[in-house]
Amino acid sequence: MSEGHNGELVPVGGGDAIPLVSEVMTIGRRESCDICLKFQNISGTHCELAFKNGVWHLRDLNSTNGVKVNGERTLRRPLRPGDEIGIAGHKYVIQYQLPAGTRLEEIFAEEEENVFGQSLMEKAGLEKPKLTPRKPGGRK
């Protein structure tokens, strides 16, 4: 990993690693995406990677063919270093360093709490997520 990168996506089976250079990166078939993947089964704007407090988070942007983490379909999820991400069947491993003292269990518990606040239609990807008002102090 080079200096100035927050990690990289490494294609499973070979190919050049994709540096993760911004805190929020869109992935899709469109040229306007931060990471452009020219495959027919990838949506124009397929998913998003966001770097929050030293941890990468993956979010499906209502794609047609979905995203998976370690083989399990998901709408959004924090990522551990070494997790395998499937984007419409194209597989990548995310590589990055967690900051010292990062407690992934707390991040996963908070994300799970957020998922329980979703409607079944939203979980199924049939309805867009509703914006949640922020509590004082900047937390949801």
Side-chain angles (χ1 to χ4, degrees), residues 92-103:
Y92 301 85
V93 173
I94 189 162
Q95 299 291 349
Y96 72 102
Q97 296 293 316
L98 285 172
T102 300
R103 299 182 56 105

Side-chain angles (χ1 to χ4, degrees), residues 31-100:
E31 295 283 338
S32 59
C33 290
D34 298 302
I35 299 173
C36 182
L37 300 175
K38 294 285 190 182
F39 300 105
Q40 284 298 319
N41 62 340
I42 291 184
S43 296
T45 307
H46 199 97
C47 59
E48 173 186 271
L49 285 172
F51 195 60
K52 302 174 196 170
N53 301 318
V55 176
W56 281 104
H57 295 253
L58 177 68
R59 183 169 64 109
D60 190 327
L61 297 175
N62 295 321
S63 66
T64 302
N65 292 313
V67 293
K68 292 182 179 181
V69 176
N70 299 325
E72 182 180 312
R73 189 153 181 167
T74 187
L75 292 177
R76 62 184 187 189
R77 182 165 161 180
L79 300 168
R80 292 178 172 91
D83 276 349
E84 182 181 271
I85 301 168
I87 303 170
H90 304 276
K91 295 180 181 177
Y92 301 85
V93 173
I94 189 162
Q95 299 291 349
Y96 72 102
Q97 296 293 316
L98 285 172

